[in-house]
Amino acid sequence: MNVNIIIASDNDSTLALWEAHIFPLAEVSFTKERAAHIEADAVVISGVYAFERYGGRPNTTAAQIVANMTGDGLPGVVVIPPSLPMILNSEKRPVVHPDYAEVSPAYHAISHTLKAIDALNAEGERVIRRVIFSLPLLGMNSPRDASTPSSVRRAIEEYLTES
């Protein structure tokens, strides 16, 4: 079962950029509405914004699905995408693991997010049919970054092909 994806941004230029890169996928729609005003089963939020409020912890291998018990108006399910694996370099600074140097962070995050939603749907206890990708809450709200929507499109297309 394919999930309907709602891409939301409060920035007209960002929304236009994303629509230009992702349209016309029937499973994807675009809105300027705030995530709290959208009827959906789940919202995808970057860990930097989600961990303290909703729970979970940093993860590089799988998206986390947590219940939203805050009553903040967002959907009852929060999906937290994984980040790219990091290591410490010779100066003891974190850098992306060399095996992932060519992987887009957006592609990694969204492909693992869609896999986690599919796995949850396969279990059947809770089904996610509509999910919000809130670009501000994902840290993907730049109107000058065309590589991120292109990477997300690739992840969505792979998901649709495999489903």
Side-chain angles (χ1 to χ4, degrees), residues 12 26 34 38 47 78 90 111-112 123 132 136:
D12 289 325
R34 292 185 55 218
I38 301 170
V78 174
S90 59
S111 65
H112 281 75
E123 291 172 7
I132 304 164

Side-chain angles (χ1 to χ4, degrees), residues 94-116:
V95 295
V96 173
H97 190 285
D99 291 349
Y100 292 84
E102 301 299 317
V103 177
S104 156
Y107 171 81
H108 183 78
I110 298 306
S111 65
H112 281 75
T113 293
L114 293 170
K115 288 176 188 172

Side-chain angles (χ1 to χ4, degrees), residues 49-128:
Y49 303 116
F51 295 140
E52 187 175 320
R53 186 174 182 101
Y54 304 105
R57 57 187 174 77
N59 190 325
T60 59
T61 58
Q64 299 167 71
I65 298 177
V66 297
N68 177 4
M69 310 296 267
T70 66
D72 61 3
L74 291 176
V77 174
V78 174
V79 184
I80 307 166
S83 59
L84 288 174
M86 305 294 280
I87 60 169
L88 295 177
N89 66 13
S90 59
E91 292 89 38
K92 303 292 184 211
R93 291 206 166 107
V95 295
V96 173
H97 190 285
D99 291 349
Y100 292 84
E102 301 299 317
V103 177
S104 156
Y107 171 81
H108 183 78
I110 298 306
S111 65
H112 281 75
T113 293
L114 293 170
K115 288 176 188 172
I117 290 170
D118 255 4
L120 179 72
N121 286 346
E123 291 172 7
E125 276 186 45
R126 182 165 206 150
V127 176
I128 297 174

Side-chain angles (χ1 to χ4, degrees), residues 96-163:
V96 173
H97 190 285
D99 291 349
Y100 292 84
E102 301 299 317
V103 177
S104 156
Y107 171 81
H108 183 78
I110 298 306
S111 65
H112 281 75
T113 293
L114 293 170
K115 288 176 188 172
I117 290 170
D118 255 4
L120 179 72
N121 286 346
E123 291 172 7
E125 276 186 45
R126 182 165 206 150
V127 176
I128 297 174
R129 289 189 173 87
R130 290 173 46 92
V131 62
I132 304 164
F133 288 2
S134 173
L135 300 181
L137 296 175
L138 281 167
M140 298 179 180
N141 208 31
S142 172
R144 293 176 297 283
D145 175 13
S147 65
T148 297
S150 293
S151 295
V152 170
R153 180 185 178 98
R154 186 167 61 98
I156 293 170
E157 285 177 331
E158 286 178 11
Y159 160 76
L160 294 173
T161 301
E162 294 168 2
S163 293

